[in-house]
Amino acid sequence: AKAHGRSCFRYFSDELTRAAEQRLDLEVRLQRALRLNELCLYFQPQIDISSNRIIGAEALVRWQDPAHGLISPAQFIPVAEETGLIKQLGEWVLLEACRQGKEWQQKGLPAINLAVNISPVQFRNSNILESVFNALKQTGYPASLLELELTESALMTHENEAVEILSALRKYGIRLAIDDFGTGYSSLAYLKRFPLDVLKIDKSFVDDIPHKKDDMEIAAAIVAMAHTLRLKVLAEGVETEEQLTFLKEQGCDCYQGYLMSPPVPADQFEQLLRAQAED
Ligand code: C2E
Ligand code: CA
Ligand code: CA
Ligand code: CA
């Protein structure tokens, strides 16, 4: 039993070492990617449900690694958060989103709202006001067309400080959205303390429409309660007409999802905007 225990331990520690090595490797490669500009942004349209028109886009980071191909943010954002690289990465995303937005504006495309994800670690540990103002100043992109997506966990740790930061951003004309709503611990009553504009219903409540009654009731309740707080509601991960119909019936304002389009590279998003401008 002893020998078995020892080999078990060795197996386990080898596994740990391998995991640590892989993470270190990823960290070093990510650092390099930032330096060599191997990251890019994809854009997913946000649709106004009543007019069925694109009114915005969420910017989503992608890593085109020459050796490993396209790496998903779900893989490298957590590493960036743990190593502190998220500050640099987050600043790059803000700057690049504003740069792209400005370019579209200069090309005469219809004005849309660009939504940028802010990691809770980035929100807590870096000067987010400075990063945002700097990106706007450097690019000339208007604050009124920028939206920041924050999660519940970003707001919950230092509540008073968070309220102050959000108020300063909002005063400047930036819109604020709460992302993945329903997956954290906060209630809508709690959200009332924060100066928010948009609530994004998490995809997990949309996935089983129209098959799961309780998810449908939750989605409906979120829409109704968000409206009493004067928040605009956007549903995430809408993939079917049935889901959209149900959300529309509930009075949901906007949606994002594969039904309209997955996240696409900037030039493809531009085509979507142009096609819409023509009709
Ligand atoms: P998120 O902010 O909740 O973004 C939505 C994710 O759902 C995106 O995955 C998007 O591609 C995916 N999605 C959208 N519509 C559908 C749909 O209809 N069906 C399905 N199955 N999926 C859909 P993505 O781009 O892989 O991003 C994953 C997560 O990584 C994001 O979740 C966000 O938390 C994080 N992330 C992405 N870009 C950034 C960034 O620039 N900064 C930070 N801090 N986090 C980012
Ligand atoms: Ca998001
Ligand atoms: Ca989300
Ligand atoms: Ca999510």
Side-chain angles (χ1 to χ4, degrees), residues 192-242:
K192 207 165 73 174
R193 301 172 202 194
F194 302 99
L196 299 166
D197 303 278
V198 178
L199 180 149
K200 299 187 78 174
I201 302 181
D202 192 68
K203 177 180 179 303
S204 58
F205 299 109
V206 174
D207 283 344
D208 295 321
I209 297 172
H211 307 292
K212 278 203 184 137
K213 268 260 151 50
D214 49 354
D215 281 355
M216 292 166 78
E217 279 165 18
I218 293 169
I222 293 176
V223 174
M225 283 192 279
H227 280 162
T228 64
L229 293 178
R230 293 191 186 77
L231 296 173
K232 197 165 103 170
V233 186
L234 182 147
E236 296 190 286
V238 176
E239 296 182 350
T240 70
E241 287 291 350
E242 286 100 320

Side-chain angles (χ1 to χ4, degrees), residues 48-64:
D48 176 75
I49 293 180
S50 57
S51 66
N52 198 32
R53 295 181 73 82
I54 300 171
I55 51 150
E58 178 176 3
L60 294 152
V61 70
R62 298 288 182 265
W63 175 6
Q64 185 65 59

